[in-house]
Amino acid sequence: MRRWDSRSRSVAAVAVATLVVVGVGTSAAWSDGSAPDDAAATPSATSTPSATPTASPTPTASSTPTPTPTPKPTPKPVASKAPAPKPATAGSGVSSSATKAAPAAAKTAAAKKAAAKKSAAAKAAAKKAAAKKAAAKKSASTSRASVKAPAKVPSGGLVCRGSGGPGAGEQQVSAIGKAINTYRAKHGLKKLSISRSSTLVQHAKTMATTGGIWHSGHENIVACVSNDSATTMVTAWSKSAPHKAQMLRKDVTHMSVGGAANGSWLFGAVLFT
């Protein structure tokens, strides 16, 4: 039901009466379009007509305005953040693919350069080694030619049958020294320091060219063996008491060694100090 104030009720009563007299059967008009209650929908006719009242203006029904719903704010769509493009180098005009290719190209160039440098170094090393080998061969040849061997083994010497002749060269100086130290170690003696003696190397070459062994006055022991083995030479010395005593001396700390080979024969000379 609609609410009406006191004034509106009075005016409505007059209007109903007027409608009964002048517009019986006419439907009531409602501004909001809703239907009235049953009692008010069909006005009842009054049995005794009343005097015609002064016409009053048709009241306009006052209705409570329908509240207009406050529109909810539409949420703003959150834009997805696209990755910001990387700034290009000013004035470069190089695409991203070209930029990626640049380090690879530089790396390849560096690798080629390093390979070329390595190859050049290897060639230089090989050339140096070849030159050194040639110089050593020339030196050995000169050294062999310079050996002045006596026509025969001096008195007091020992002939090494099957040896001798040209072509003797320095050989196994270090091997002879190590073999002697190994022998000393087996007998509980300390090792001796080793050095090459050019004088003893020359004497070994002379003996190898002559084909025998003897003392020159610059060594304690000399020997020759047919299988070019320093170990066999030390074994031969150990079977001779004077030579064994020299190798097992306790009053020495150093040995000077000379060695030379001619064919399969090895000649040695050692001085203990």
Side-chain angles (χ1 to χ4, degrees):
M1 293 293 291
R2 298 283 183 178
R3 294 183 178 181
W4 304 83
D5 55 21
S6 58
R7 180 178 177 184
S8 297
R9 289 177 183 176
S10 298
V11 175
V14 174
V16 170
T18 302
L19 289 172
V20 170
V21 175
V22 298
V24 176
T26 304
S27 301
W30 298 84
S31 62
D32 60 358
S34 60
D37 293 337
D38 292 341
T42 306
S44 301
T46 306
S47 58
T48 306
S50 60
T52 304
T54 304
S56 300
T58 303
T60 302
S62 175
S63 60
T64 303
T66 303
T68 303
T70 303
K72 294 181 180 180
T74 304
K76 295 181 179 181
V78 179
S80 59
K81 293 183 180 180
K86 294 182 179 179
T89 305
S92 64
V94 182
S95 65
S96 59
S97 59
T99 303
K100 292 178 180 179
K107 188 175 181 181
T108 302
K112 288 182 178 180
K113 187 176 181 180
K117 188 175 181 181
K118 187 176 181 181
S119 178
K123 288 181 180 179
K127 187 176 181 180
K128 187 177 180 180
K132 188 176 180 181
K133 186 176 181 181
K137 186 175 181 180
K138 183 177 180 181
S139 177
S141 177
T142 303
S143 177
R144 289 172 184 175
S146 64
V147 176
K148 293 181 180 180
K152 60 180 182 178
V153 176
S155 176
L158 177 67
V159 176
C160 301
R161 299 185 180 280
S163 67
E170 181 176 345
Q171 188 77 19
Q172 299 199 41
V173 172
S174 178
I176 294 171
K178 289 181 179 180
I180 292 173
N181 273 335
T182 299
Y183 182 73
R184 286 177 60 88
K186 289 180 179 179
H187 288 78
L189 299 177
K190 65 180 181 180
K191 294 182 179 181
L192 305 178
S193 58
I194 306 169
S195 67
R196 173 189 177 275
S197 170
S198 57
T199 300
L200 297 184
V201 168
Q202 182 61 37
H203 183 53
K205 288 180 180 179
T206 302
M207 292 190 294
T209 302
T210 306
I213 55 175
W214 66 90
H215 289 283
S216 65
H218 300 288
E219 68 288 312
N220 301 122
I221 55 177
V222 291
C224 63
V225 292
S226 61
N227 65 347
D228 194 22
S229 170
T231 302
T232 302
M233 181 173 287
V234 172
T235 301
W237 278 327
S238 68
K239 292 180 179 180
S240 167
H243 295 82
K244 179 178 179 180
Q246 286 291 334
M247 291 192 296
L248 299 180
R249 286 174 60 177
K250 298 179 181 179
D251 60 334
V252 295
T253 58
H254 179 77
M255 62 175 137
S256 300
V257 182
N262 193 348
S264 63
W265 285 81
L266 176 65
F267 293 76
V270 182
L271 172 66
F272 297 97
T273 54

